[in-house]
Amino acid sequence: MAEPWQLSAEVDVTVPFHDVDMMAVAWHGHYLRYIELARCALLDRIDYNYPQMEASGYLWPVIDVRMKYVAPLRFGQTVRVRATLVEYQNRLKIDYLLYDPATNQRTSKGYTVQVAVSKESGEMCLASPRVLLDKLGVKE
């Protein structure tokens, strides 16, 4: 397995008609759906996507999200979304890069932060649970 700081996944998304405004530009809120697709692909790589998280006794809500819009996405455009795990010890921080694979032009970038919450007690964990570290192959 790759070191956690090297873990990334990419997905291609073609902007559908129902995601655009009357100028054929993707509405900014839809970018969160696009990064969610990449985040799930990343979590699938370690077999710890949302069903596995819940089965392990933890929920991982997003507590922070940032997105910087550099260039608009347009109807029919394909955008490549790369999700990269950058922090895992006390929280999951995932960076995102969105770019046009035909031109390599960056269209946006951002990140999400998620924390582990005990499904049973509802309490936030101050450190990532052992199950995540095991999935990442982290020895401590």
Side-chain angles (χ1 to χ4, degrees):
M1 162 134 337
E3 295 295 334
W5 57 89
Q6 298 171 337
L7 191 61
S8 64
E10 293 184 338
V11 298
D12 285 349
V13 177
T14 301
V15 177
F17 178 74
H18 60 265
D19 281 3
V20 301
D21 60 20
M22 61 189 302
M23 297 177 290
V25 173
W27 177 63
H28 69 277
H30 291 305
Y31 287 58
L32 298 181
R33 289 190 307 124
Y34 306 156
I35 67 172
E36 178 72 20
L37 295 170
R39 180 170 56 238
C40 286
L42 175 66
L43 295 172
D44 281 342
R45 289 200 56 206
I46 61 169
D47 191 33
Y48 199 57
N49 208 332
Y50 295 109
Q52 293 87 358
M53 289 175 172
E54 185 175 7
S56 74
Y58 297 96
L59 307 174
W60 289 81
V62 172
I63 62 164
D64 191 11
V65 62
R66 303 287 166 99
M67 186 63 58
K68 180 175 181 174
Y69 303 94
V70 179
L73 294 176
R74 301 190 179 277
F75 169 62
Q77 180 180 6
T78 297
V79 62
R80 185 158 295 151
V81 186
R82 179 183 305 138
T84 303
L85 179 65
V86 294
E87 291 181 34
Y88 62 89
Q89 286 132 337
N90 300 315
R91 62 189 189 162
L92 280 178
K93 184 176 182 195
I94 300 173
D95 283 350
Y96 303 94
L97 175 65
L98 288 76
Y99 65 98
D100 185 321
T103 63
N104 279 333
Q105 179 187 12
R106 182 176 67 192
T107 62
S108 46
K109 66 179 185 174
Y111 67 83
T112 57
V113 175
Q114 295 170 257
V115 295
V117 173
S118 169
K119 183 179 174 183
E120 184 177 318
S121 70
E123 292 184 26
M124 185 176 78
C125 302
L126 298 178
S128 292
R130 183 75 239 170
V131 64
L132 173 65
L133 302 178
D134 289 344
K135 295 286 187 176
L136 291 170
V138 174
K139 307 285 186 236
E140 287 189 83

CSV table of all heavy atoms in Angstrom, one decimal, residues 88-139:
chain,number,residue,atom,x,y,z
A,88,TYR,N,-4.3,12.4,8.4
A,88,TYR,CA,-5.1,11.3,8.8
A,88,TYR,C,-5.0,11.0,10.3
A,88,TYR,O,-5.7,10.2,10.8
A,88,TYR,CB,-4.7,10.0,8.1
A,88,TYR,CG,-3.2,9.6,8.3
A,88,TYR,CD1,-2.9,8.8,9.4
A,88,TYR,CD2,-2.2,10.1,7.5
A,88,TYR,CE1,-1.6,8.4,9.6
A,88,TYR,CE2,-0.9,9.7,7.7
A,88,TYR,CZ,-0.6,8.9,8.8
A,88,TYR,OH,0.7,8.6,9.0
A,89,GLN,N,-4.0,11.6,11.0
A,89,GLN,CA,-3.8,11.3,12.4
A,89,GLN,C,-5.0,11.7,13.4
A,89,GLN,O,-5.4,10.9,14.2
A,89,GLN,CB,-2.5,11.8,12.9
A,89,GLN,CG,-1.3,11.0,12.4
A,89,GLN,CD,-0.3,11.9,11.8
A,89,GLN,OE1,-0.5,13.0,11.5
A,89,GLN,NE2,0.9,11.3,11.7
A,90,ASN,N,-5.4,12.9,13.3
A,90,ASN,CA,-6.5,13.4,14.2
A,90,ASN,C,-7.8,13.8,13.4
A,90,ASN,O,-8.8,14.1,14.0
A,90,ASN,CB,-6.0,14.7,14.9
A,90,ASN,CG,-4.8,14.4,15.7
A,90,ASN,OD1,-4.7,13.3,16.4
A,90,ASN,ND2,-3.8,15.2,15.7
A,91,ARG,N,-7.7,13.7,12.1
A,91,ARG,CA,-8.8,14.1,11.2
A,91,ARG,C,-8.4,13.6,9.8
A,91,ARG,O,-7.3,13.3,9.6
A,91,ARG,CB,-9.1,15.6,11.3
A,91,ARG,CG,-7.9,16.4,10.7
A,91,ARG,CD,-8.0,17.8,11.0
A,91,ARG,NE,-7.0,18.6,10.3
A,91,ARG,CZ,-7.1,19.9,10.0
A,91,ARG,NH1,-8.1,20.5,10.3
A,91,ARG,NH2,-6.1,20.5,9.4
A,92,LEU,N,-9.4,13.6,9.0
A,92,LEU,CA,-9.2,13.3,7.6
A,92,LEU,C,-9.2,14.6,6.8
A,92,LEU,O,-10.2,15.3,6.8
A,92,LEU,CB,-10.3,12.4,7.0
A,92,LEU,CG,-10.2,10.9,7.2
A,92,LEU,CD1,-11.4,10.3,6.5
A,92,LEU,CD2,-8.9,10.3,6.6
A,93,LYS,N,-8.1,15.0,6.3
A,93,LYS,CA,-8.1,16.2,5.4
A,93,LYS,C,-7.7,15.7,4.0
A,93,LYS,O,-6.7,15.1,3.8
A,93,LYS,CB,-7.1,17.3,5.9
A,93,LYS,CG,-7.1,18.5,5.0
A,93,LYS,CD,-6.3,19.6,5.5
A,93,LYS,CE,-6.4,20.9,4.6
A,93,LYS,NZ,-5.4,21.8,4.8
A,94,ILE,N,-8.6,16.1,3.1
A,94,ILE,CA,-8.4,15.7,1.7
A,94,ILE,C,-8.4,16.9,0.9
A,94,ILE,O,-9.3,17.8,0.9
A,94,ILE,CB,-9.6,14.7,1.3
A,94,ILE,CG1,-9.6,13.5,2.2
A,94,ILE,CG2,-9.4,14.3,-0.2
A,94,ILE,CD1,-10.7,12.5,2.0
A,95,ASP,N,-7.3,17.0,0.1
A,95,ASP,CA,-7.2,18.1,-0.9
A,95,ASP,C,-7.8,17.7,-2.2
A,95,ASP,O,-7.7,16.5,-2.6
A,95,ASP,CB,-5.7,18.5,-1.1
A,95,ASP,CG,-5.1,19.3,0.0
A,95,ASP,OD1,-5.9,19.8,0.9
A,95,ASP,OD2,-3.9,19.5,0.0
A,96,TYR,N,-8.3,18.7,-3.0
A,96,TYR,CA,-8.9,18.4,-4.3
A,96,TYR,C,-8.3,19.4,-5.3
A,96,TYR,O,-8.1,20.5,-5.0
A,96,TYR,CB,-10.4,18.6,-4.2
A,96,TYR,CG,-11.1,17.8,-3.2
A,96,TYR,CD1,-11.3,18.3,-1.9
A,96,TYR,CD2,-11.4,16.4,-3.4
A,96,TYR,CE1,-11.9,17.5,-0.9
A,96,TYR,CE2,-12.0,15.7,-2.4
A,96,TYR,CZ,-12.2,16.2,-1.2
A,96,TYR,OH,-12.8,15.4,-0.2
A,97,LEU,N,-8.1,18.8,-6.5
A,97,LEU,CA,-7.7,19.6,-7.6
A,97,LEU,C,-8.6,19.2,-8.7
A,97,LEU,O,-8.8,18.0,-9.1
A,97,LEU,CB,-6.2,19.3,-8.0
A,97,LEU,CG,-5.7,20.0,-9.2
A,97,LEU,CD1,-5.7,21.5,-9.0
A,97,LEU,CD2,-4.3,19.5,-9.6
A,98,LEU,N,-9.3,20.2,-9.3
A,98,LEU,CA,-10.1,20.0,-10.5
A,98,LEU,C,-9.5,20.6,-11.7
A,98,LEU,O,-9.1,21.8,-11.6
A,98,LEU,CB,-11.5,20.6,-10.3
A,98,LEU,CG,-12.4,19.9,-9.2
A,98,LEU,CD1,-12.0,20.2,-7.8
A,98,LEU,CD2,-13.9,20.3,-9.5
A,99,TYR,N,-9.3,19.9,-12.8
A,99,TYR,CA,-8.7,20.4,-14.0
A,99,TYR,C,-9.3,19.8,-15.2
A,99,TYR,O,-9.8,18.7,-15.2
A,99,TYR,CB,-7.2,20.3,-13.9
A,99,TYR,CG,-6.7,18.9,-13.9
A,99,TYR,CD1,-6.2,18.3,-15.1
A,99,TYR,CD2,-6.6,18.1,-12.8
A,99,TYR,CE1,-5.8,17.0,-15.1
A,99,TYR,CE2,-6.2,16.8,-12.8
A,99,TYR,CZ,-5.7,16.2,-14.0
A,99,TYR,OH,-5.3,14.9,-14.0
A,100,ASP,N,-9.1,20.5,-16.3
A,100,ASP,CA,-9.6,20.0,-17.6
A,100,ASP,C,-8.5,19.1,-18.1
A,100,ASP,O,-7.3,19.6,-18.4
A,100,ASP,CB,-9.8,21.2,-18.5
A,100,ASP,CG,-10.4,20.8,-19.9
A,100,ASP,OD1,-9.9,19.7,-20.4
A,100,ASP,OD2,-11.2,21.5,-20.4
A,101,PRO,N,-8.7,17.8,-18.3
A,101,PRO,CA,-7.7,16.9,-18.8
A,101,PRO,C,-7.2,17.2,-20.2
A,101,PRO,O,-6.1,16.8,-20.6
A,101,PRO,CB,-8.3,15.5,-18.6
A,101,PRO,CG,-9.8,15.7,-18.7
A,101,PRO,CD,-10.0,17.1,-18.1
A,102,ALA,N,-8.1,17.8,-21.0
A,102,ALA,CA,-7.7,18.1,-22.4
A,102,ALA,C,-6.6,19.2,-22.4
A,102,ALA,O,-5.8,19.2,-23.3
A,102,ALA,CB,-8.9,18.5,-23.2
A,103,THR,N,-6.7,20.2,-21.5
A,103,THR,CA,-5.8,21.4,-21.6
A,103,THR,C,-4.9,21.4,-20.4
A,103,THR,O,-4.0,22.3,-20.3
A,103,THR,CB,-6.7,22.7,-21.6
A,103,THR,OG1,-7.4,22.7,-20.4
A,103,THR,CG2,-7.6,22.7,-22.8
A,104,ASN,N,-5.1,20.6,-19.4
A,104,ASN,CA,-4.4,20.7,-18.1
A,104,ASN,C,-4.7,22.0,-17.3
A,104,ASN,O,-4.0,22.3,-16.4
A,104,ASN,CB,-2.9,20.4,-18.2
A,104,ASN,CG,-2.6,18.9,-18.3
A,104,ASN,OD1,-3.4,18.1,-17.8
A,104,ASN,ND2,-1.6,18.6,-19.0
A,105,GLN,N,-5.7,22.8,-17.7
A,105,GLN,CA,-6.0,24.0,-17.0
A,105,GLN,C,-6.7,23.7,-15.7
A,105,GLN,O,-7.7,23.0,-15.7
A,105,GLN,CB,-6.9,24.9,-17.9
A,105,GLN,CG,-7.3,26.2,-17.2
A,105,GLN,CD,-8.3,27.0,-17.9
A,105,GLN,OE1,-8.9,26.6,-18.9
A,105,GLN,NE2,-8.4,28.3,-17.5
A,106,ARG,N,-6.2,24.2,-14.6
A,106,ARG,CA,-6.9,24.1,-13.3
A,106,ARG,C,-8.2,24.9,-13.3
A,106,ARG,O,-8.2,26.1,-13.8
A,106,ARG,CB,-6.0,24.5,-12.2
A,106,ARG,CG,-6.6,24.3,-10.8
A,106,ARG,CD,-5.6,24.7,-9.7
A,106,ARG,NE,-5.4,26.2,-9.8
A,106,ARG,CZ,-4.4,26.8,-9.1
A,106,ARG,NH1,-3.6,26.1,-8.4
A,106,ARG,NH2,-4.3,28.1,-9.2
A,107,THR,N,-9.2,24.3,-12.9
A,107,THR,CA,-10.5,25.0,-12.8
A,107,THR,C,-10.9,25.4,-11.3
A,107,THR,O,-11.5,26.4,-11.1
A,107,THR,CB,-11.7,24.2,-13.4
A,107,THR,OG1,-11.8,23.0,-12.7
A,107,THR,CG2,-11.4,23.9,-14.9
A,108,SER,N,-10.4,24.6,-10.4
A,108,SER,CA,-10.7,24.9,-9.0
A,108,SER,C,-9.8,24.0,-8.1
A,108,SER,O,-9.3,23.0,-8.6
A,108,SER,CB,-12.1,24.8,-8.6
A,108,SER,OG,-12.7,23.6,-9.2
A,109,LYS,N,-9.7,24.4,-6.8
A,109,LYS,CA,-9.1,23.5,-5.9
A,109,LYS,C,-9.7,23.8,-4.5
A,109,LYS,O,-10.4,24.8,-4.3
A,109,LYS,CB,-7.6,23.8,-5.8
A,109,LYS,CG,-7.2,25.2,-5.3
A,109,LYS,CD,-5.7,25.4,-5.2
A,109,LYS,CE,-5.4,26.8,-4.6
A,109,LYS,NZ,-4.0,27.0,-4.4
A,110,GLY,N,-9.5,22.8,-3.6
A,110,GLY,CA,-10.1,23.0,-2.3
A,110,GLY,C,-9.7,21.8,-1.4
A,110,GLY,O,-8.8,21.1,-1.7
A,111,TYR,N,-10.5,21.7,-0.3
A,111,TYR,CA,-10.2,20.7,0.7
A,111,TYR,C,-11.5,20.4,1.5
A,111,TYR,O,-12.3,21.3,1.6
A,111,TYR,CB,-9.0,20.9,1.5
A,111,TYR,CG,-9.2,22.1,2.5
A,111,TYR,CD1,-9.8,21.9,3.8
A,111,TYR,CD2,-8.6,23.3,2.2
A,111,TYR,CE1,-9.9,23.0,4.6
A,111,TYR,CE2,-8.8,24.4,3.1
A,111,TYR,CZ,-9.4,24.2,4.3
A,111,TYR,OH,-9.5,25.2,5.2
A,112,THR,N,-11.5,19.2,2.1
A,112,THR,CA,-12.5,18.9,3.1
A,112,THR,C,-11.8,18.4,4.4
A,112,THR,O,-10.7,17.9,4.3
A,112,THR,CB,-13.5,17.9,2.7
A,112,THR,OG1,-12.8,16.7,2.3
A,112,THR,CG2,-14.4,18.3,1.5
A,113,VAL,N,-12.4,18.6,5.5
A,113,VAL,CA,-11.9,18.1,6.8
A,113,VAL,C,-13.1,17.3,7.4
A,113,VAL,O,-14.2,17.8,7.5
A,113,VAL,CB,-11.5,19.2,7.7
A,113,VAL,CG1,-11.1,18.6,9.1
A,113,VAL,CG2,-10.3,20.0,7.2
A,114,GLN,N,-12.8,16.1,7.8
A,114,GLN,CA,-13.7,15.2,8.4
A,114,GLN,C,-13.2,14.7,9.8
A,114,GLN,O,-11.9,14.5,9.9
A,114,GLN,CB,-14.1,14.0,7.6
A,114,GLN,CG,-14.7,14.3,6.3
A,114,GLN,CD,-14.8,13.1,5.3
A,114,GLN,OE1,-14.0,13.0,4.4
A,114,GLN,NE2,-15.7,12.2,5.6
A,115,VAL,N,-14.0,14.5,10.7
A,115,VAL,CA,-13.6,14.0,12.0
A,115,VAL,C,-14.4,12.7,12.4
A,115,VAL,O,-15.5,12.5,11.9
A,115,VAL,CB,-13.7,15.0,13.2
A,115,VAL,CG1,-12.8,16.2,12.9
A,115,VAL,CG2,-15.2,15.4,13.3
A,116,ALA,N,-13.7,11.8,13.1
A,116,ALA,CA,-14.4,10.6,13.6
A,116,ALA,C,-15.3,10.9,14.7
A,116,ALA,O,-14.9,11.6,15.7
A,116,ALA,CB,-13.4,9.6,14.0
A,117,VAL,N,-16.5,10.4,14.6
A,117,VAL,CA,-17.5,10.5,15.7
A,117,VAL,C,-18.0,9.1,16.1
A,117,VAL,O,-18.4,8.4,15.2
A,117,VAL,CB,-18.7,11.4,15.3
A,117,VAL,CG1,-19.8,11.4,16.3
A,117,VAL,CG2,-18.2,12.8,15.0
A,118,SER,N,-18.0,8.8,17.3
A,118,SER,CA,-18.4,7.5,17.8
A,118,SER,C,-19.9,7.3,17.4
A,118,SER,O,-20.7,8.2,17.8
A,118,SER,CB,-18.2,7.3,19.3
A,118,SER,OG,-18.9,6.1,19.7
A,119,LYS,N,-20.3,6.3,16.7
A,119,LYS,CA,-21.7,6.1,16.3
A,119,LYS,C,-22.5,5.8,17.6
A,119,LYS,O,-23.6,6.3,17.7
A,119,LYS,CB,-21.8,4.9,15.4
A,119,LYS,CG,-23.2,4.6,14.9
A,119,LYS,CD,-23.2,3.5,13.9
A,119,LYS,CE,-24.6,3.1,13.5
A,119,LYS,NZ,-24.7,2.0,12.7
A,120,GLU,N,-21.9,5.1,18.5
A,120,GLU,CA,-22.6,4.8,19.8
A,120,GLU,C,-22.9,6.0,20.7
A,120,GLU,O,-24.0,6.2,21.1
A,120,GLU,CB,-21.8,3.7,20.5
A,120,GLU,CG,-22.5,3.2,21.7
A,120,GLU,CD,-21.8,2.1,22.4
A,120,GLU,OE1,-21.2,1.2,21.7
A,120,GLU,OE2,-21.7,2.1,23.7
A,121,SER,N,-21.8,6.7,21.0
A,121,SER,CA,-21.9,7.8,21.9
A,121,SER,C,-22.2,9.2,21.3
A,121,SER,O,-22.7,10.1,22.0
A,121,SER,CB,-20.7,7.9,22.8
A,121,SER,OG,-19.6,8.4,22.0
A,122,GLY,N,-21.9,9.3,20.0
A,122,GLY,CA,-22.1,10.6,19.4
A,122,GLY,C,-20.9,11.6,19.7
A,122,GLY,O,-21.0,12.8,19.3
A,123,GLU,N,-19.9,11.1,20.4
A,123,GLU,CA,-18.8,12.0,20.8
A,123,GLU,C,-17.7,12.0,19.7
A,123,GLU,O,-17.4,11.0,19.1
A,123,GLU,CB,-18.2,11.5,22.1
A,123,GLU,CG,-19.1,11.7,23.3
A,123,GLU,CD,-18.5,11.4,24.6
A,123,GLU,OE1,-17.2,11.4,24.7
A,123,GLU,OE2,-19.2,11.0,25.5
A,124,MET,N,-17.1,13.2,19.5
A,124,MET,CA,-16.1,13.3,18.5
A,124,MET,C,-14.8,12.7,19.1
A,124,MET,O,-14.5,12.9,20.3
A,124,MET,CB,-15.8,14.8,18.2
A,124,MET,CG,-14.8,15.0,17.2
A,124,MET,SD,-14.6,16.7,16.7
A,124,MET,CE,-13.6,17.3,18.1
A,125,CYS,N,-14.1,12.0,18.3
A,125,CYS,CA,-12.8,11.4,18.7
A,125,CYS,C,-11.7,12.5,18.5
A,125,CYS,O,-11.7,13.2,17.5
A,125,CYS,CB,-12.5,10.2,17.9
A,125,CYS,SG,-13.7,8.9,18.0
A,126,LEU,N,-10.8,12.5,19.5
A,126,LEU,CA,-9.7,13.5,19.4
A,126,LEU,C,-8.5,13.0,18.5
A,126,LEU,O,-7.6,13.7,18.2
A,126,LEU,CB,-9.2,13.9,20.8
A,126,LEU,CG,-10.3,14.6,21.6
A,126,LEU,CD1,-9.7,14.9,23.0
A,126,LEU,CD2,-10.8,15.8,20.9
A,127,ALA,N,-8.5,11.7,18.2
A,127,ALA,CA,-7.5,11.1,17.4
A,127,ALA,C,-8.3,10.1,16.4
A,127,ALA,O,-9.3,9.6,16.8
A,127,ALA,CB,-6.5,10.4,18.2
A,128,SER,N,-7.7,9.9,15.3
A,128,SER,CA,-8.3,8.9,14.4
A,128,SER,C,-8.3,7.6,15.0
A,128,SER,O,-7.3,7.1,15.6
A,128,SER,CB,-7.5,8.9,13.0
A,128,SER,OG,-7.7,10.2,12.4
A,129,PRO,N,-9.4,6.8,14.8
A,129,PRO,CA,-9.5,5.5,15.4
A,129,PRO,C,-8.5,4.5,14.7
A,129,PRO,O,-8.1,4.7,13.6
A,129,PRO,CB,-10.9,5.1,15.2
A,129,PRO,CG,-11.5,6.0,14.1
A,129,PRO,CD,-10.6,7.2,14.2
A,130,ARG,N,-8.2,3.5,15.5
A,130,ARG,CA,-7.2,2.5,15.0
A,130,ARG,C,-7.6,1.9,13.7
A,130,ARG,O,-6.8,1.6,12.8
A,130,ARG,CB,-7.0,1.4,16.1
A,130,ARG,CG,-6.0,0.4,15.8
A,130,ARG,CD,-4.6,0.9,15.9
A,130,ARG,NE,-3.9,0.8,14.7
A,130,ARG,CZ,-2.7,1.3,14.4
A,130,ARG,NH1,-2.1,2.0,15.3
A,130,ARG,NH2,-2.1,1.1,13.3
A,131,VAL,N,-8.9,1.7,13.5
A,131,VAL,CA,-9.4,1.1,12.2
A,131,VAL,C,-8.9,1.9,11.0
A,131,VAL,O,-8.5,1.3,10.0
A,131,VAL,CB,-10.9,0.9,12.2
A,131,VAL,CG1,-11.7,2.2,12.3
A,131,VAL,CG2,-11.4,0.1,11.0
A,132,LEU,N,-9.0,3.2,11.1
A,132,LEU,CA,-8.5,4.0,9.9
A,132,LEU,C,-7.0,3.8,9.7
A,132,LEU,O,-6.5,3.6,8.6
A,132,LEU,CB,-8.8,5.5,10.1
A,132,LEU,CG,-8.2,6.4,9.1
A,132,LEU,CD1,-8.8,6.1,7.7
A,132,LEU,CD2,-8.3,7.8,9.4
A,133,LEU,N,-6.2,3.8,10.8
A,133,LEU,CA,-4.8,3.6,10.7
A,133,LEU,C,-4.5,2.3,10.1
A,133,LEU,O,-3.5,2.1,9.3
A,133,LEU,CB,-4.1,3.8,12.1
A,133,LEU,CG,-4.4,5.2,12.7
A,133,LEU,CD1,-3.7,5.3,14.1
A,133,LEU,CD2,-3.9,6.4,11.8
A,134,ASP,N,-5.2,1.2,10.5
A,134,ASP,CA,-5.0,-0.1,10.0
A,134,ASP,C,-5.3,-0.1,8.5
A,134,ASP,O,-4.5,-0.7,7.7
A,134,ASP,CB,-5.9,-1.1,10.7
A,134,ASP,CG,-5.4,-1.4,12.2
A,134,ASP,OD1,-4.3,-1.0,12.5
A,134,ASP,OD2,-6.3,-1.9,12.9
A,135,LYS,N,-6.4,0.5,8.1
A,135,LYS,CA,-6.7,0.6,6.7
A,135,LYS,C,-5.6,1.3,5.8
A,135,LYS,O,-5.4,0.9,4.7
A,135,LYS,CB,-8.0,1.3,6.4
A,135,LYS,CG,-9.2,0.6,7.0
A,135,LYS,CD,-9.6,-0.6,6.2
A,135,LYS,CE,-10.9,-1.2,6.7
A,135,LYS,NZ,-11.4,-2.3,5.9
A,136,LEU,N,-5.0,2.3,6.5
A,136,LEU,CA,-3.9,3.0,5.8
A,136,LEU,C,-2.5,2.3,5.9
A,136,LEU,O,-1.6,2.7,5.3
A,136,LEU,CB,-3.8,4.4,6.4
A,136,LEU,CG,-4.9,5.3,6.1
A,136,LEU,CD1,-4.8,6.6,6.9
A,136,LEU,CD2,-5.0,5.7,4.6
A,137,GLY,N,-2.5,1.2,6.7
A,137,GLY,CA,-1.2,0.5,6.9
A,137,GLY,C,-0.2,1.2,7.8
A,137,GLY,O,1.0,1.0,7.7
A,138,VAL,N,-0.7,2.1,8.6
A,138,VAL,CA,0.1,2.8,9.5
A,138,VAL,C,0.5,2.0,10.8
A,138,VAL,O,-0.4,1.5,11.4
A,138,VAL,CB,-0.6,4.2,10.0
A,138,VAL,CG1,0.3,4.9,11.0
A,138,VAL,CG2,-0.9,5.0,8.8
A,139,LYS,N,1.7,1.8,11.0
A,139,LYS,CA,2.2,1.1,12.2
A,139,LYS,C,2.6,2.1,13.3
A,139,LYS,O,3.3,3.1,13.0
A,139,LYS,CB,3.4,0.3,11.8
A,139,LYS,CG,3.2,-0.6,10.7
A,139,LYS,CD,2.4,-1.8,11.0
A,139,LYS,CE,2.3,-2.8,9.8
A,139,LYS,NZ,1.0,-3.1,9.4
